Amino acid sequence: MSVLSFQEVSVRYGAHTVLDDVSLEVAAGQTVGLVGESGCGKSTLARAAVGLAPVTGGRILLDGRPVPNRGRRPVQMVFQDPYSSLDPRMTVGESIAEAMPERLGKKARQAEITRLLALVHLDAARAADIPGRLSGGQRQRVALARALAARPRVILADEITSALDVSVQGAVLNLIRDMRRDLGLSMLFISHNLAVVRYVADHVAVLHAGRIVEHGPTARVLGAPQHEYTRHLLAAVSLKEQK
Amino acid sequence: MRALRRPVGVAGLGLLALVLFVAAFGPVLWGERATVVDTGDLLAGPSAEHWIGTDNLGRDLFARVMVAARLSILLALAATAISLVLGIALGAAPMLVGRRLGRLITSAVNVLVAFPGLLLVLFFAVVFGVGARGAALAVGLAGAPAFARLCHTLVAAVSERDYVAAARIAGVSRVRVLLRHVLPNIAEPLIVNATMAAGGVLLTFAGLSFLGLGVQAPSYDWGKLMQDGLNGIYVHPLAALGPGIAVVLAGLAFNLTGEAFAAAPGRTRPLEAAREPAARTAPVAGTSLSVDGLRVTIPGPAGPIHAVRGVTFTVGDGEAVGVVGESGSGKSVTALAVAGLLEPPIRVDANHLVVAGEDLMAAGAHRRLGTSLAVVFQDPMTSFNPAHRVGPQLAEVSRFHQGMSRKAAFARAVDRLRAVRIGEPGRRARQYPFEFSGGMRQRAMIGMGLMGDPRLIIADEPTTALDVTVQRQVLELLAEVRRDTGAALLLISHDVTVVTDVCDRVLVMYAGRVVEELPAKDLRTLARHPYTRALVAAVPDMETDLNRPLAVIPGLPVDPTQVPSGCAFAPRCPFADDHCRAVAPALVAGVACHKSAEVGR
Ligand SMILES: Nc1ncnc2c1ncn2[C@@H]1O[C@H](COP(=O)(O)OP(=O)(O)O)[C@@H](O)[C@H]1O
Ligand code: SF4
Ligand SMILES: [Mg+2]
């Protein structure tokens, strides 16, 4: 279990500031929900932590040390689009094996693939399939298994259920909660869906125009929001649900 | 081998096989004849013995053309390979080297591509000196920039995919990412292009040899033979034309093959002829939309896709009806059919399909429908023409359907943009769609629907691509528009919450059928179909019990090419029994389930 902390992180593309002085901590074994509307910088924050976005100011630390941004990252990321997150020409087993830290013999590798697939509730026989034969939900589970294969200390989940049907979303969310319980993973869970974040996250951070405007335990932030913008987000949901 | 299913592909591949055969075995089969000197028969014309005559040493020209195939083809392939390898190296380099160096390479390539190809060839040919090797290098080098650009575009597209990012994060080196993930995924278009390019290279080569810059005596390729034959062109035209024809045929072989592979469409089996014309029925009175027995069949590679399988429903005047269901259940196809936007080879059958009083099953109905139907789609970016300003696009509707003048129509467009609460509508009307945000485009789309006087608005996932806050604005706008105009609404969404919020009545679709129809307010509590209940239960809301796992629907939706004969939901239904699996339940009193009485309890 590890602590991921963003300290006064800024990301700028030319004159355009995407993240402005963002400080946020994902404590050991905790799931932190990051909410906000699209384009507010949620994905950029996650990508910065794995070296996919240029950090122009501040630091991102894992257990007190800078997160390495080359080689196998101890922080792994799962992406939104199930149709772009797996190489269409590699089997599920190959995709997962690629992320494994050590070179294993054929047998040990098969066993590890089976173990990882079981963790995400997929049948071992899936290892031989190419992604084209899987549904969106199954693909997202494979993407999670691949992230777990790298033995990460923290997982960044970027809108991983947004592209899924509600019927499948539930299965993936349950899986996320099981994994936190069983594996004690620390996780940054990004979503624009407040009900989803409420279900999986212990803490919530609200990002607005590149700044964190509110941060705290889920029940407190969603139950008694302090910031105007959080209230605005919540109002949009409750209006949808009032009937 | 999809390409083989088209005549062009068959011709191309057949020709290519022939050309390659001659290249491989030509020197073995004709080698001897090609070198026999016959001083008694110099520069002879065509005869039974020498089909296209002899050269200045009396050697048989046909045999020489056949023998020359090997060198000509080998040189063309070598030059193409040089272009391809260099092109891949240059095109992939920006991914491997740093950003700045990468940009430099890319712009250098762009400059080179702009150069006339022939000029480059001649330039390099002079640099590398005359001879086969110099010519191969010259042609190969000159062809590289085009491949580099193609490769760069393809690499850039693949590099943006998440699996490349995932591999990088997993510690896979850039070179390995290139070899394992990028190249395999761009190989197909590259090979197709290389095949087509080989045809062109063959011609260029023949040109170089013809000019004396390529192959030198005593070796000979087709170009050299053409040059030799040129002297006697007026006496024995075939001596020069023979090798020329060979060049053209071989070039065609490569080109046609490449083209056939590039264009080979996914195979679809045409649909069998329509069954008996459906029995005509009369529309329900007092409705803006009345559909009876709608079936939509789409030809697909694995047989026909039964996207909609007999759907009957109405939308009363001024009523708002929602359609929910998993993706692939046929919601969008239903919407497109109702909007009259499906065209052959997709087949639409219905006993009647009446929109705002016009039966869409009759010819010309769509035009008569005019502006009484408005349509809003999920991605408004694709609904607008990106090359035209927003205002004129809206105005077009009124000019076409209501015959307004350009000026009046534009004024109305501005007015409508104001009606959908777009700030500074006058200025916005002069902007292009990409200058609008997603929510604004969606509002403009609704504004376009309001140019006329719609009786029915069809909205397919109008808020799915939008943020919660913007979603609400768009939904409120739709509600407001309905209050003001009295238009009816058919709202399609996979989001149960959106539908219950906006609609009076809800249709639940599964596997191309309506499985339940009920008042929106009852959706959460009074649903009687197991699928509806499961769907509603699966949506977490702000009151969901945090101590229990979320409800899920086990299994997968039905494959629309193989719909079972019984209840389509049976494989996923906890209540299913043998009767369910054998007999499809009909929609009776709002629900299509054999056990709805049991389930509803
Ligand atoms: N242009 C098309 N070509 C082939 N199949 C299609 C096409 N459009 C839709 N389909 C198929 O028709 C079925 C219904 O699709 P759709 O109406 O888009 O579902 P929904 O809108 O409920 O997600 C699906 O199986 C889908 O794959
Ligand atoms: S008909 Fe049978 S299988 Fe189908 S939904 Fe009803 S109970 Fe389930
Ligand atoms: Mg759809």
Side-chain angles (χ1 to χ4, degrees):
Chain A
M1 278 191 228
S2 295
V3 184
L4 178 70
S5 65
F6 297 84
Q7 301 187 341
E8 293 157 11
V9 172
S10 296
V11 172
R12 226 164 272 131
Y13 290 102
H16 183 51
T17 303
V18 181
L19 290 178
D20 190 10
D21 239 0
V22 170
S23 296
L24 178 68
E25 185 162 291
V26 182
Q30 208 179 46
T31 301
V32 173
L34 183 62
V35 301
E37 52 196 280
S38 66
C40 74
K42 303 189 295 293
S43 298
T44 308
L45 189 67
R47 297 177 79 91
V50 288
L52 292 176
V55 178
T56 43
R59 297 186 303 171
I60 305 175
L61 304 179
L62 183 65
D63 294 330
R65 298 217 195 89
V67 185
N69 60 8
R70 33 186 52 236
R72 175 172 291 98
R73 324 284 205 271
V75 175
Q76 289 289 314
M77 184 158 171
V78 182
F79 299 87
Q80 168 170 5
D81 181 4
Y83 295 93
S84 134
S85 61
L86 298 175
D87 188 331
R89 287 178 192 263
M90 277 163 79
T91 65
V92 164
E94 285 167 348
S95 282
I96 294 176
E98 189 179 59
M100 292 178 185
E102 64 273 333
R103 283 182 180 266
L104 299 171
K106 197 161 179 232
K107 262 226 171 105
R109 192 170 62 219
Q110 282 310 326
E112 175 71 355
I113 291 173
T114 305
R115 182 185 75 85
L116 289 162
L117 285 177
L119 272 182
V120 296
H121 305 320
L122 282 178
D123 194 67
R126 287 283 169 220
D129 280 346
I130 54 162
R133 308 188 47 180
L134 304 184
S135 71
Q138 288 173 328
R139 287 173 200 223
Q140 286 304 64
R141 285 188 243 173
V142 173
L144 257 173
R146 177 182 53 197
L148 292 175
R151 307 266 168 78
R153 293 193 273 166
V154 179
I155 287 202
L156 311 170
D158 187 6
E159 298 272 12
I160 57 171
T161 62
S162 308
L164 303 177
D165 267 310
V166 284
S167 52
V168 189
Q169 168 180 281
V172 175
L173 293 178
N174 287 340
L175 174 66
I176 294 285
R177 296 222 322 180
D178 292 353
M179 283 188 348
R180 182 190 46 183
R181 191 187 57 221
D182 302 341
L183 309 177
L185 277 175
S186 315
M187 181 177 307
L188 182 67
F189 187 94
I190 299 175
S191 176
H192 69 271
N193 186 329
L194 294 182
V196 164
V197 167
R198 172 180 169 273
Y199 189 70
V200 297
D202 314 299
H203 272 64
V204 176
V206 182
L207 193 62
H208 179 47
R211 291 170 158 274
I212 301 260
V213 296
E214 183 158 7
H215 177 215
T218 307
R220 209 277 293 142
V221 174
L222 301 185
Q226 309 283 300
H227 194 277
E228 183 60 33
Y229 181 70
T230 315
R231 278 190 221 122
H232 178 63
L233 279 182
L234 278 162
V237 181
S238 53
L239 192 119
K240 263 167 67 179
E241 270 180 14
Q242 73 194 358
K243 287 197 194 172
Chain B
M1 292 305 248
R2 283 176 298 171
L4 270 181
R5 295 209 179 77
R6 305 197 324 158
V8 185
V10 176
L13 274 173
L15 210 52
L16 189 63
L18 186 71
V19 168
L20 292 180
F21 175 84
V22 173
F25 298 106
V28 183
L29 295 175
W30 289 283
E32 221 158 298
R33 266 182 75 103
T35 47
V36 174
V37 177
D38 181 357
T39 42
D41 206 4
L42 302 180
L43 292 172
S47 64
E49 200 186 335
H50 305 293
W51 290 355
I52 55 172
T54 60
D55 68 359
N56 52 2
L57 289 178
R59 294 174 294 199
D60 181 57
L61 271 176
F62 178 75
R64 288 177 74 77
V65 169
M66 291 296 127
V67 172
R70 180 182 283 181
L71 187 60
S72 305
I73 301 289
L74 274 184
L75 284 174
L77 290 183
T80 309
I82 292 174
S83 299
L84 190 61
V85 169
L86 263 177
I88 291 177
L90 281 176
M95 191 189 143
L96 299 182
V97 303
R99 187 175 307 212
R100 203 162 302 160
L101 193 54
R103 211 172 292 156
L104 201 71
I105 295 176
T106 312
S107 23
V109 164
N110 284 340
V111 170
L112 284 177
V113 169
F115 249 70
L118 201 59
L119 224 61
L120 276 184
V121 173
L122 290 177
F123 172 74
F124 284 126
V126 171
V127 171
F128 291 116
V130 283
R133 186 187 308 166
L137 277 172
V139 176
L141 237 60
F147 273 108
R149 177 135 89 178
L150 174 70
C151 189
H152 181 247
T153 318
L154 294 171
V155 167
V158 173
S159 307
E160 270 174 26
R161 319 269 331 177
D162 291 336
Y163 59 81
V164 170
R168 302 278 305 128
I169 300 171
V172 181
S173 72
R174 283 176 198 260
V175 177
R176 269 180 78 79
V177 167
L178 183 68
L179 295 180
R180 287 193 65 160
H181 294 287
V182 179
L183 289 185
N185 281 301
I186 66 172
E188 204 171 308
L190 272 184
I191 290 172
V192 166
N193 263 282
T195 313
M196 287 203 258
V201 165
L202 204 75
L203 280 172
T204 314
F205 238 106
L208 276 186
S209 291
F210 182 77
L211 291 177
L213 290 169
V215 175
Q216 303 296 312
S219 302
Y220 55 96
D221 69 345
W222 287 330
K224 182 83 175 63
L225 288 180
M226 272 157 52
Q227 188 197 26
D228 295 345
L230 192 66
N231 301 331
I233 185 107
Y234 295 112
V235 193
H236 301 307
L238 265 186
L241 285 184
I245 291 171
V247 170
V248 170
L249 282 182
L252 261 179
F254 281 109
N255 247 309
L256 288 184
T257 307
E259 195 118 349
F261 275 103
R267 180 171 57 112
T268 56
R269 300 208 193 116
L271 300 173
E272 79 278 21
R275 287 172 305 273
E276 313 266 291
R280 315 270 52 189
T281 48
V284 178
T287 59
S288 299
L289 171 63
S290 178
V291 182
D292 183 14
L294 175 68
R295 301 180 156 271
V296 181
T297 317
I298 304 168
I305 298 166
H306 304 283
V308 178
R309 306 183 295 138
V311 160
T312 302
F313 68 94
T314 58
V315 178
D317 288 327
E319 192 187 17
V321 173
V323 184
V324 295
E326 283 165 283
S327 60
S329 58
K331 307 183 299 291
S332 295
V333 173
T334 303
L336 290 171
V338 168
L341 294 176
L342 294 178
E343 286 174 354
I346 296 175
R347 203 174 68 212
V348 180
D349 297 321
N351 301 335
H352 71 246
L353 176 49
V354 177
V355 180
E358 293 291 343
D359 191 343
L360 289 192
M361 302 310 282
H366 200 246
R367 208 190 148 94
R368 286 196 301 278
L369 202 51
T371 56
S372 27
L373 173 69
V375 188
V376 184
F377 289 110
Q378 169 167 354
D379 182 4
M381 195 60 206
T382 54
S383 328
F384 277 113
N385 182 340
H388 292 244
R389 294 170 206 273
V390 172
Q393 288 196 57
L394 261 67
E396 184 67 27
V397 177
S398 289
R399 294 187 39 176
F400 182 73
H401 288 294
Q402 296 155 307
M404 278 195 196
S405 74
R406 186 185 297 264
K407 216 169 147 199
F410 189 81
R412 180 157 176 86
V414 173
D415 178 65
R416 298 291 84 184
L417 288 177
R418 184 177 300 116
V420 293
R421 279 178 292 163
I422 285 179
E424 300 181 71
R427 184 172 68 85
R428 288 293 182 177
R430 288 184 179 78
Q431 288 186 332
Y432 289 93
F434 71 84
E435 296 176 81
F436 280 41
S437 72
M440 234 190 304
R441 272 200 296 271
Q442 204 55 302
R443 274 182 270 160
M445 196 68 221
I446 297 174
M448 181 177 307
L450 295 179
M451 288 301 287
D453 196 3
R455 259 182 76 191
L456 175 68
I457 302 172
I458 298 176
D460 185 2
E461 307 271 6
T463 61
T464 303
L466 307 175
D467 278 307
V468 219
T469 43
V470 187
Q471 247 181 41
R472 190 185 61 176
Q473 290 167 9
V474 170
L475 291 178
E476 278 174 352
L477 176 65
L478 273 176
E480 193 175 303
V481 163
R482 288 189 44 236
R483 255 198 319 276
D484 295 350
T485 63
L489 173 69
L490 183 67
L491 175 70
I492 289 158
S493 178
H494 73 282
D495 188 337
V496 177
T497 347
V498 166
V499 166
T500 40
D501 185 29
V502 173
C503 298
D504 308 316
R505 201 150 50 85
V506 178
L507 308 172
V508 183
M509 280 191 78
Y510 188 78
R513 291 216 169 131
V514 172
V515 295
E516 184 158 18
E517 181 182 340
L518 73 177
K521 62 176 171 32
D522 296 344
L523 187 63
R524 284 174 184 283
T525 45
L526 293 177
R528 288 177 295 155
H529 196 284
Y531 176 65
T532 314
R533 301 196 138 214
L535 198 63
V536 170
V539 187
D541 60 26
M542 299 307 274
E543 268 90 53
T544 302
D545 184 350
L546 296 180
N547 300 312
R548 302 222 325 246
L550 286 174
V552 298
I553 310 179
L556 293 176
V558 216
D559 175 353
T561 56
Q562 285 161 357
V563 199
S565 52
C567 172
F569 189 57
R572 307 170 78 182
C573 178
F575 301 89
D577 62 15
D578 287 344
H579 181 56
C580 298
R581 282 182 277 271
V583 182
L587 185 68
V588 178
V591 61
C593 171
H594 295 306
K595 306 194 165 181
S596 55
E598 236 171 280
V599 178
R601 250 182 267 142

